[in-house]
Amino acid sequence: MNEATMLVAGALAFVITHLVMSHMLRSQLITILGNIGYQIAYSLISLATLGLAVYGYRGVPAEAPLWDAPYWASVVCAFLMFFASVLFIGSQLKNPALPMPNARDLALKEPHGVFKITRHPMMWSFAIWGSAHILVKPTMANIWLMGSIVILAILGSLGQDKRKEREMDGSWQHWQSKTSFVPFGKGLVTPGSGILLVGIAFWMIASWAHHGLGYAMVPPWTNLWGVGAP
């Protein structure tokens, strides 16, 4: 199996196994494996399939992009990554979609923080992250890898709504009525200054680490107008 085949096989397996294990066969697998066994199996399969895709991606020979990404694309990417960072940080706080004992109670409350923007902030952070990286590096290999993350995030969010409707009785329907699937579907809102500040810090650290890990230096650590790195 060559690297390109590994990438495609891993990306497809990553999406399909997630959807099957998270939605189609979730209850059956939990019955057979138990909650802890299910979580272990889910994590191992996720790591294995994503690892195969990443391994194939790293081995694919250099290829020409499908279009030339102008410098402004990196600026747009930086702002998208900032937005994704804020959503991801905010998604960790009192999220009724996460498996916690008080999930039903949280879903019956008024939306707070990033949940005023979307009820799926973590999933949208992954979708925006993947889309931003396709924008600045539009090669077939990158589209396969990042596209699998984008597709899984969107389809996973849709599937999560259906599953939570079944599992959480009327509390999730209440949460859906108060929140939006698409970001800003309920209007322009802010998540609060605290989440914004932590999101900015996370975004700047992640952007700095991007270059430290051997990838391109990106805004805000480069001049936003393309003059050069500070």
Side-chain angles (χ1 to χ4, degrees), residues 3 76 92 106-107 153 170 187 210:
E3 288 81 1
V76 172
Q92 311 301 312
L106 292 174
H210 194 271

Side-chain angles (χ1 to χ4, degrees), residues 26-58:
R26 180 186 173 90
S27 58
Q28 295 93 320
L29 290 172
I30 290 177
T31 299
I32 296 171
L33 303 173
N35 280 314
I36 296 177
Y38 168 77
Q39 292 295 336
I40 293 173
Y42 182 90
S43 299
L44 290 176
I45 292 174
S46 299
L47 287 173
T49 54
L50 182 59
L52 178 63
V54 172
Y55 181 81
Y57 173 81
R58 287 181 171 274

Side-chain angles (χ1 to χ4, degrees), residues 65-143:
L66 299 181
W67 64 84
D68 292 327
Y71 183 79
W72 60 259
S74 66
V75 179
V76 172
C77 179
F79 282 105
L80 288 175
M81 291 305 299
F82 160 67
F83 183 44
S85 298
V86 171
L87 290 180
F88 181 78
I89 292 298
S91 71
Q92 311 301 312
L93 304 175
K94 299 180 179 180
N95 186 348
L98 296 177
M100 53 181 61
N102 62 338
R104 284 185 173 86
D105 294 334
L106 292 174
L108 291 173
K109 295 182 177 181
E110 288 297 312
H112 64 280
V114 294
F115 301 100
K116 294 184 290 184
I117 299 173
T118 171
R119 66 176 166 272
H120 295 292
M122 185 182 295
M123 295 295 199
W124 275 106
S125 72
F126 295 149
I128 293 169
W129 176 78
S131 300
H133 281 74
I134 291 174
L135 176 65
V136 294
K137 190 178 180 182
T139 62
M140 282 303 301
N142 201 47
I143 290 172

Side-chain angles (χ1 to χ4, degrees), residues 203-209 217-223 228-230:
W203 168 61
M204 294 187 72
I205 292 170
S207 300
W208 174 81
M217 185 175 287
V218 295
W221 301 104
T222 59
N223 187 298

